């Protein structure tokens, strides 16, 4: 049986916003409402982005703000998404949670994952169960999507401070930095789960980290959320500055241990959340800046969403100042509809949620009448003739309507889904397709009676 819980407030709010946009478009002769693709994830609230490039994909590690949190962080697990085109993101679920660490009590806060010698190490801050003190744990996996397990059975380091960032220098030395209100670093050993020497405080000077207006207790802008990396011979530390509302600032240094020089603002205080958190990568020849805001319906300081912007470094290696957008970066390449695509590969979703599939992986579920999934830049080429989806339904099913260009763009196919006898009892449905040519945005619009209609595991077109 499907869990008889209502769908999350976020899913319902997005579905309502989607219907309102469609109604207003219908009243207006203009084409479909512009479909923003930022924030990246619409099925849950996500926070504290930590991107990692591995084998031609971006893996995005995030925190997860529970629905309905209004006065404190309610964060119990971490999430992973991935993309090879910066537009369509695949949901890999939660391979790491507070339960992974027997010693953890609460607060699944801002972490970062890194790969070394084929293993993936995910450093996360969380409260230690008995003392309530913040500690940093390290989880390990042989896959970027997990499952992750506690590498040590105890914290890697515990000094009451948060927000680890990890980085391996070109000479092979790995460093872990973290801290709020201080900024610490320690040299990690090659095993990535132990360290040499003692944690060292980085001097928070105003030359290094800017001057906080009225900052007597904390004279510099440094607040939390460091993100340290190297580009050429220059070391960057991008961090959440000032509080609160935070903005994103950065410093640079000629070595991983400083001396740091304050360089200014990366992203001003914007976006309906009092925190922000940076993540910076280069991917397929371009640079990307990840952050979070409260931009989704119901969003705010404790219901945040991860977003991303593309940027170009200035010729003098400084970072340009960026604003939050709802468009996000351009797609890199296209999506191939003639291979199996996971239903949870999404550019923008309204109403739906995701869940673990009994056989492994994820499926899209909690589908109701009027919900929709957009997949950006689908390369149909000379034309698709057939659509197949793997579906399951414990009720009477419904319809998958395929449209291109917009949520009420041309219909290119319609698939009827019948009951299969269970939410994890899977069957293929196939229907004819016509008019799906060239490279188009694809919309899977779901319709049917009341209540939950069906689940979708994956889909594929054929010529
Ligand atoms: O998400 C919980 C905390 O809020 C993070 O650890 C901080 O960086 C801030 O984003």
């Amino acid at each position: 049986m499907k869990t008889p819980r209502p769908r999350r407030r976020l899913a319902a709010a997005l579905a309502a916003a989607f219907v309102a946009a469609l109604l207003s478009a219908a009243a207006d002769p203009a084409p479909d409402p512009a479909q923003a693709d930022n924030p990246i994830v619409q099925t849950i609230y996500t926070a504290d982005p930590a991107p990692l490039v591995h084998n031609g994909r971006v893996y995005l590690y995030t925190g997860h703000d529970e629905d309905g949190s209004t006065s404190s962080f309610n964060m119990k697990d971490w999430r992973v998404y991935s993309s090879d085109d910066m537009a369509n993101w695949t949901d890999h679920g939660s391979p790491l949670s507070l339960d992974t660490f027997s010693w953890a009590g609460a607060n699944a806060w801002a972490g970062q994952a890194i790969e070394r010698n084929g293993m993936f190490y995910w450093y996360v801050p969380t409260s230690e169960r008995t003392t309530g003190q913040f500690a940093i744990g390290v989880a390990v996996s042989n896959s970027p999507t997990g499952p992750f397990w506690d590498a040590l059975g105890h914290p890697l380091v515990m000094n009451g401070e948060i927000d680890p960032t990890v980085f391996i220098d070109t000479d092979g030395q790995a460093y872990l930095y973290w801290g709020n209100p201080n900024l610490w670093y320690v040299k990690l050993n090659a095993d990535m789960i132990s360290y040499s020497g003692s944690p060292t405080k980085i001097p928070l000077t105003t030359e290094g980290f800017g001057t906080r207006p009225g900052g007597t207790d904390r004279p510099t802008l440094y607040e939390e959320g460091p993100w340290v990396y190297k580009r050429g011979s220059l070391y960057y530390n991008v961090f959440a500055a000032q509080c609160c509302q935070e903005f994103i600032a950065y410093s640079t240094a000629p070595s991983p241990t400083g001396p740091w020089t304050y360089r200014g603002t990366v992203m001003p205080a914007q976006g309906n959340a009092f925190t922000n958190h940076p993540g910076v990568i280069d991917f397929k020849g371009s640079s990307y800046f990840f952050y979070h805001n409260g931009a989704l319906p119901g969003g705010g300081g404790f219901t945040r969403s991860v977003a991303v912007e593309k940027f170009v470094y200035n010729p003098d290696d400084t970072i340009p100042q960026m604003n939050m957008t709802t468009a996000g970066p351009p797609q890199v390449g296209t999506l191939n509809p003639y291979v199996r695509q996971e239903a949870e590969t999404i550019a923008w979703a309204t109403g739906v949620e995701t869940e673990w599939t009994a056989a492994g992986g994820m499926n899209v579920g909690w589908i109701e009448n009027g919900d929709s999934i957009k997949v950006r830049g689908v390369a149909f080429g000379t034309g698709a003739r057939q659509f197949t989806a793997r579906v399951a339904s414990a009720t009477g099913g419904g319809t998958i309507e395929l449209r291109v260009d917009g949520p009420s763009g041309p219909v290119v196919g319609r698939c009827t889904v019948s009951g299969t006898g269970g939410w994890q009892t899977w069957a293929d449905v196939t229907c004819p397709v016509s008019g799906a040519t060239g490279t188009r945005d694809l919309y899977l619009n779901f319709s049917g009676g009341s209540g939950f209609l069906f689940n979708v595991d994956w889909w594929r077109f054929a010529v």
Side-chain angles (χ1 to χ4, degrees):
M1 273 295 291
K2 186 149 193 156
T3 320
R5 65 185 162 109
R7 67 178 174 181
R8 294 188 183 94
R9 285 186 216 187
L10 170 58
L14 268 158
F18 180 66
V19 170
L22 280 181
L23 287 175
S24 102
D28 185 327
D32 282 325
Q35 288 292 293
D37 291 346
N38 230 5
I40 289 171
V41 178
Q42 305 83 39
T43 48
I44 57 167
Y45 295 111
T46 54
D48 302 324
L52 167 69
V53 177
H54 176 71
N55 277 354
R57 287 188 82 79
V58 179
Y59 291 88
L60 177 60
Y61 299 81
T62 75
H64 170 204
D65 285 336
E66 295 287 334
D67 267 28
S69 310
T70 52
S71 57
S72 61
F73 294 120
N74 184 8
M75 306 179 77
K76 302 171 182 165
D77 61 4
W78 293 269
R79 300 284 171 140
V80 185
Y81 302 84
S82 76
S83 176
D84 65 0
D85 66 5
M86 296 303 292
N88 300 299
W89 290 86
T90 303
D91 188 335
H92 299 285
S94 172
L96 182 66
S97 76
L98 293 176
D99 292 340
T100 309
F101 302 104
S102 60
W103 49 268
N107 299 322
W109 285 15
Q112 186 183 349
I114 198 168
E115 185 265 344
R116 184 163 210 167
N117 298 330
M119 298 299 281
F120 296 82
Y121 300 89
W122 196 349
Y123 302 85
V124 290
T126 183
S127 308
E128 199 270 337
R129 186 187 291 275
T130 51
T131 61
Q133 218 193 353
F134 265 104
I136 290 164
V138 54
V140 64
S141 175
N142 54 13
S143 158
T145 56
F148 284 82
W149 61 92
D150 185 356
L152 295 170
H154 56 80
L156 172 65
V157 60
M158 183 160 92
N159 67 357
E161 300 204 30
I162 59 173
D163 290 3
T165 179
V166 60
F167 139 78
I168 304 174
D169 205 347
T170 36
D171 65 1
Q173 177 63 57
Y175 295 83
L176 189 76
Y177 305 75
W178 74 100
N180 175 354
N182 300 293
L183 177 57
W184 301 84
Y185 81 89
V186 74
K187 286 185 175 182
L188 292 173
N189 294 329
D191 65 8
M192 300 298 277
I193 60 170
S194 63
Y195 56 83
S196 299
S198 302
T200 303
K201 260 188 201 175
I202 294 175
L204 287 176
T205 63
T206 53
E207 295 75 25
F209 295 91
T211 304
R212 187 180 296 231
T216 43
D217 291 350
R218 297 181 73 155
T220 79
L221 290 168
Y222 177 79
E223 179 72 17
E224 59 183 1
W227 182 270
V228 177
Y229 63 100
K230 185 182 190 182
R231 182 171 173 268
S233 56
L234 195 60
Y235 296 80
Y236 291 75
N237 183 348
V238 187
F239 56 89
Q242 204 165 289
C243 181
C244 289
Q245 190 178 10
E246 293 176 344
F247 67 99
I248 302 295
Y250 78 112
S251 306
T252 60
S255 90
T257 56
W260 294 95
T261 301
Y262 183 63
R263 295 292 178 191
T265 300
V266 174
M267 177 170 273
Q270 296 174 341
N272 195 30
F274 65 90
T275 64
N276 200 346
H277 190 98
V280 182
I281 52 163
D282 285 343
F283 178 63
K284 295 188 176 173
S286 298
S287 300
Y288 295 92
F289 173 69
F290 291 75
Y291 58 96
H292 69 221
N293 60 26
L296 284 186
F302 304 109
T303 42
R304 300 162 292 178
S305 293
V306 166
V308 60
E309 308 297 338
K310 181 177 169 180
F311 75 97
V312 178
Y313 286 91
N314 295 317
D316 64 358
D317 294 328
T318 55
I319 301 176
Q321 188 168 313
M322 282 167 264
N323 291 314
M324 300 181 180
T325 75
T326 55
Q331 185 174 11
V332 184
T334 54
L335 183 134
N336 180 358
Y338 300 115
V339 298
R340 168 178 163 154
Q341 294 291 347
E342 299 304 318
E344 65 275 13
T345 296
I346 293 168
W348 189 269
T350 54
V352 306
E353 299 181 27
T354 61
E355 63 183 357
W356 293 113
T357 305
M362 304 287 288
N363 64 259
V364 168
W366 283 267
I367 294 172
E368 290 180 287
N369 182 47
D371 292 348
S372 176
I373 289 175
K374 172 189 176 184
V375 184
R376 211 201 298 179
V378 178
F380 292 108
T382 53
R385 298 252 188 88
Q386 203 176 64
F387 173 82
T388 298
R390 187 82 170 154
V391 296
S393 174
T395 56
T399 302
I400 305 174
E401 186 184 64
L402 305 170
R403 292 181 182 256
V404 291
D405 304 338
S408 50
V411 177
V412 298
R414 212 171 254 124
C415 254
T416 301
V417 176
S418 305
T420 62
W423 295 114
Q424 292 292 323
T425 306
W426 297 97
D428 291 354
V429 288
T430 296
C431 51
V433 169
S434 124
T437 57
T439 296
R440 321 277 281 272
D441 292 345
L442 170 70
Y443 291 77
L444 291 86
N445 289 353
F446 306 113
S447 58
S450 60
F452 299 120
L453 304 177
F454 49 85
N455 294 342
V456 186
D457 188 7
W458 53 260
W459 55 263
R460 177 168 46 214
F461 285 82
V463 288

